[in-house]
Each structure stands twice: as C-alpha cells, then as structure tokens.
Amino acid sequence: SIESKEPDEQGRGWTTLDPAPSARGSQRDRDGGDPLARVGEMFAKFSSRSKIDAVTSSKDEPTPVYALQELCENLIANPSTTESAASYLIARLQNKSVIVKQKALRAIKYVASKPDCSSFRMAVQQHAGVLREHASFSCAADPMKGSRPAEQVRQAAKEAIHAIYSTDSSSSASRGNGHAMQGFGSGGSGASTSQGGDESARASSMFSKAGGGRERSGSGGVSG
C-alpha cells in the first residue's frame, strides 16, 4: 500500500491507497514474475521429465514411437523447458544400464531429427562431449548378447551426434528440393547426409574424434 498526499475526509492524516496496476506489475517482476506462470512452467518441466522417464525405462523392450512423439510435442508446446529436458536426457546417460543409455541416445536422435526442435538441438550441442564419450563406449560382454549392447550404444551415440548437427542444414536442403523431411525410422545415421554442408562435416569430425574408425553396425530397432 501507499499513502496519498491529501488528508482524509475528516482531515486527520493520510489515507491509504492500493498501488496502481503498473506498480503491482513492477512488484511481481521484483518477486520473480507471475506466480501462475511459474507454476505452469514447473508443471511443464515435470511433465517433460515424466515423459523422458517413460522413454528411457530400463525395461528391455522397444520404446513406443507414440511416446517419443508425445515428448516432441511437449517440448514444442513448452519451449521454456527445452534446456532442462536436454540436460535431463544427458543425465540419463550416466545410468549404469546399457538399455537406459541406448534409449536416451535414441530419444535424443528422435527429437533432434524434428525440424521444429532446433532449440533442443542447440541445447544438446552444449553436451556434445558426453555423446562423443558414448561413441566409443565399451563394457563387459553380456552373457547372452555378447558385445552387441555396447555396439548399439556406440551406434546410437553416432546417430545422435549426426542428428544434433546436421538436421537443420539437411532439412533446409530437402525443402529446397521439394522433398519431405524423413521422420523416425527412415534409415541409419547417414540417411540425410548428402547435402549437410558444413554441419555434416562438423558431425563427421565429431565421429572421428570419437573413434569413428570402429564403425560396426549394432543398432537394432528402438529396443534396448
């Protein structure tokens, strides 16, 4: 509240007035913005994390494509959550489960492959070092699957690196030639590299740094 500069009706001092709308707005800004907006953003972040948990579960079964699509739609509808979602997906790569690592990398590739998710690609680029580490990932052989799980992690990491660096230029070239952007499941890591330009070269450089000479195909479907 603020005080007026005029006496009240009885002439006994100052009257108290509510702040003007602009003053109330300034106070909200000093307090950190609209509380309802903050609550909405917190809910959106929680929603994206829940969806990430769902698509990176440790269950040894395929990740439903509809779940990956829901994650994309959530990030597109709530751009303020993009950086936190990218960081959370990167954090999932620290999980000891090879299945979780595979699924997190494939989720990164799926989202980054969407033309509308450029902010997500830029956010993940800040963590490119972690992806490079997984492009040369190794672990003890699985009693049943042998070295296949480690190979799948390496391949998924290379495809994720390709997606975060080459999608923008590839999609632009495709639009210029009248071709539709291919979605998930359209091929391996080289599906859209023909006109990647500088970004594709950059992605190739990343592969080289990660020991891309050991290129062995081990990617299955979307399963862990």
Side-chain angles (χ1 to χ4, degrees), residues 21 30 45 48 57-58 66 69 79 113 116 122 124 134 169-170 174 178-179 201:
R30 289 193 294 273
K45 287 182 178 179
S48 66
S57 72
S58 59
Y66 75 81
Q69 182 60 35
S113 296
D116 292 336
M122 290 188 289
V124 177
H134 283 76
S169 54
S170 296
S174 294
H179 297 302

Side-chain angles (χ1 to χ4, degrees), residues 22 32 50 60 66 90 111 113 135 151 175 178-179 182 193 202:
S22 59
S50 296
D60 192 2
Y66 75 81
I90 293 296
V111 178
S113 296
E151 292 174 356
R175 284 194 298 269
H179 297 302
Q182 295 297 315
T193 59
R202 191 176 178 184

Side-chain angles (χ1 to χ4, degrees), residues 127-142:
H127 306 278
V130 179
L131 299 185
R132 287 199 301 271
E133 291 174 3
H134 283 76
S136 57
F137 175 79
S138 63
C139 64
D142 183 89

Side-chain angles (χ1 to χ4, degrees), residues 161-162 165 193 198-209:
I161 292 171
H162 173 77
Y165 283 113
T193 59
D198 293 339
E199 294 294 346
S200 291
R202 191 176 178 184
S204 297
S205 175
M206 301 287 281
F207 295 154
S208 298
K209 292 179 182 178

Side-chain angles (χ1 to χ4, degrees), residues 131-194:
L131 299 185
R132 287 199 301 271
E133 291 174 3
H134 283 76
S136 57
F137 175 79
S138 63
C139 64
D142 183 89
M144 300 294 294
K145 300 179 180 179
S147 62
R148 180 177 173 81
E151 292 174 356
Q152 289 178 320
V153 169
R154 291 195 292 269
Q155 183 65 23
K158 293 170 186 176
E159 293 178 358
I161 292 171
H162 173 77
I164 66 172
Y165 283 113
S166 66
T167 298
D168 286 324
S169 54
S170 296
S171 60
S172 297
S174 294
R175 284 194 298 269
N177 290 324
H179 297 302
M181 180 68 184
Q182 295 297 315
F184 182 75
S186 60
S189 61
S192 57
T193 59
S194 59

